[in-house]
Amino acid sequence: MRIMNDKLRALKPYDPDIDPSLIRLDANESCFALPSSVMAEIADAVRLLPLNRYPDPFARSLCEAYGRYAEV
């Protein structure tokens, strides 16, 4: 019985090349911490998420918000 096909077996794992002494601008990371007020806002928002439910597969609220933003 084959569990994994040859294409999957041939994939090479992603190597993030983590070196704490480098600032990697190509990794879309910031060397600055977020302000504590922003971290608190994120924590409050995460606490309200219904993590025991799957998200809307059509992302309706996101599409509606973008539609209002783009005025369409």
Side-chain angles (χ1 to χ4, degrees):
M1 178 168 102
R2 294 177 82 184
I3 295 176
M4 191 181 311
N5 70 29
D6 293 334
K7 286 181 181 178
L8 289 175
R9 192 173 282 116
L11 287 175
K12 302 292 181 220
Y14 171 71
D15 180 11
D17 191 24
I18 297 173
D19 184 345
S21 65
L22 296 176
I23 295 175
R24 297 203 42 221
L25 298 178
D26 65 331
N28 294 322
E29 297 175 350
S30 175
C31 58
F32 302 106
L34 288 174
S36 58
S37 60
V38 173
M39 291 297 290
E41 240 181 281
I42 292 170
D44 289 343
V46 168
R47 272 193 281 280
L48 297 175
L49 291 175
L51 297 176
N52 62 329
R53 302 283 184 237
Y54 284 110
D56 175 6
F58 301 107
R60 289 179 186 99
S61 60
L62 175 64
C63 292
E64 288 171 5
Y66 183 74
R68 286 191 301 275
Y69 170 80
E71 298 179 356
V72 293

